[in-house]
Amino acid sequence: MTRLYEDDAELYDIAFDWDISAEADWLVERLQATTVLEPGCGGGRMLEALAERGCQVVGIDTSPQMVELSRRRLGTRGEVFEADMRHFDLGRTFDGAVCPINTLLHLSPAELARHLYRMSQHLERWARYLVQVGLVESDQEPFAGSHWEASRGETSLKVDWVDEELDVVRGVSRQRSRIEVLSGPRAGEVVEEVHDMTAWTPATWSEAIEASPFELVATYDGGTKGQWPRVDARATGGLLWHELTL
Ligand SMILES: C[S@@+](CC[C@H](N)C(=O)[O-])C[C@H]1O[C@@H](n2cnc3c(N)ncnc32)[C@H](O)[C@@H]1O
């Protein structure tokens, strides 16, 4: 697990706390769910947005710091548990689930299979599981990367997130994040980390879903501002949403 998800979870939470209200509206419409589970919920930004839209939300995360941030953010508006998405058992089912921002790329193919099986045990038969997983072309070069600034209170950050290596044949990618604290109590600190992720092509991703208890209903492009047009299952891109059902 990375520092950004544990000791520096607060910096991660500030860096990724952009406005997700339109995306949350779209997700709620697609899910048509009262109870929603988010595996890998981080600091709870999506749980909060879904709770504000009337969903009863539950999140799980392996990081105690993320669980604490989520609980603080949600208060009584939802529940958050420390649990591993590869082998958890909450003893109940939900009528929808979401997993944004490429969290599932942290799992190897075998771990994804275990996760999808666990999710199938936590969802009603007609429930939708919306997962945001970027897919790459089989001959793709590493993405140029993303660069942005974020702030909360006195703290402001400069964030650089780049794909350093991409090996589509082995199905792995290596990303490097660099967060520079520009102002606030930690001004001057730089947190730099390497993240080893799985790289999926449309073909390998479809195979993984077909081998799971889920089927792929539709794919949407989350990279077009304020709109989530349906795209072909062979589409590639960094912000694709996949709608799965049992
Ligand atoms: C990319 S962050 C996304 C956080 C949140 N979903 C969001 O949209 O802001 C990934 C999160 O997944 C959590 N995570 C990684 N591996 C996990 C696992 N095996 N089980 C549960 N949580 C995990 C990390 O601790 C981190 O909080």
Side-chain angles (χ1 to χ4, degrees):
M1 195 57 63
T2 71
R3 254 178 77 189
L4 269 187
Y5 293 158
E6 297 198 325
D7 294 342
D8 286 318
E10 198 123 21
L11 292 185
Y12 178 91
D13 196 51
I14 297 172
F16 285 80
D17 198 17
W18 53 71
D19 182 4
I20 54 167
S21 48
E23 193 160 45
D25 286 342
W26 176 78
L27 284 169
V28 165
E29 196 187 308
R30 294 248 49 84
L31 287 168
Q32 295 292 316
T34 308
T35 55
V36 180
L37 172 64
E38 184 185 355
C41 62
R45 64 189 187 124
M46 186 57 81
L47 291 176
E48 180 180 46
L50 297 177
E52 280 168 354
R53 287 159 180 76
C55 300
Q56 293 164 27
V57 294
V58 174
I60 61 167
D61 204 289
T62 38
S63 155
Q65 291 88 342
M66 287 295 194
V67 169
E68 175 56 28
L69 282 176
S70 273
R71 285 183 175 154
R72 239 193 281 155
R73 181 181 247 136
L74 284 174
T76 56
R77 295 179 295 170
E79 289 178 284
V80 186
F81 303 104
E82 200 179 313
D84 191 316
M85 66 169 90
R86 296 166 297 184
H87 34 75
F88 65 102
D89 184 1
L90 300 177
R92 58 167 291 193
T93 56
F94 296 82
D95 43 38
V98 293
C99 192
I101 199 135
N102 285 330
T103 296
L104 295 186
L105 297 185
H106 287 298
L107 306 182
S108 68
E111 290 171 332
L112 178 77
R114 286 209 289 279
H115 166 68
L116 291 176
Y117 177 71
R118 291 314 311 154
M119 288 302 290
S120 74
Q121 302 299 295
H122 285 82
L123 288 171
E124 298 294 339
R125 279 216 70 75
W126 38 267
R128 294 289 191 254
Y129 182 22
L130 280 143
V131 302
Q132 192 171 36
V133 170
L135 304 178
V136 295
E137 309 276 355
S138 45
D139 57 355
Q140 187 157 325
E141 297 293 319
F143 287 117
S146 304
H147 311 274
W148 70 98
E149 293 197 3
S151 62
R152 182 185 293 159
E154 294 181 325
T155 300
S156 60
L157 310 175
K158 179 173 175 293
V159 187
D160 300 292
W161 209 286
V162 293
D163 261 3
E164 253 186 8
E165 285 172 38
L166 174 63
D167 186 334
V168 181
V169 175
R170 286 176 50 234
V172 292
S173 81
R174 171 162 287 189
Q175 304 180 353
R176 181 177 292 274
S177 60
R178 182 180 187 279
I179 298 188
E180 184 180 348
V181 186
L182 301 176
S183 65
R186 296 178 62 180
E189 281 186 47
V190 175
V191 177
E192 202 162 353
E193 274 193 321
V194 165
H195 312 265
D196 287 314
M197 321 279 278
T198 299
W200 297 98
T201 63
T204 58
W205 174 251
S206 300
E207 278 165 27
I209 302 304
E210 270 166 32
S212 81
F214 287 91
E215 66 179 88
L216 180 64
V217 177
T219 305
Y220 305 90
D221 185 359
T224 51
K225 282 248 175 316
Q227 287 177 35
W228 290 266
R230 191 166 173 177
V231 291
D232 192 275
R234 286 163 300 181
T236 54
L239 294 167
L240 295 173
W241 277 101
H242 311 272
E243 184 173 334
L244 310 181
T245 193
L246 288 168

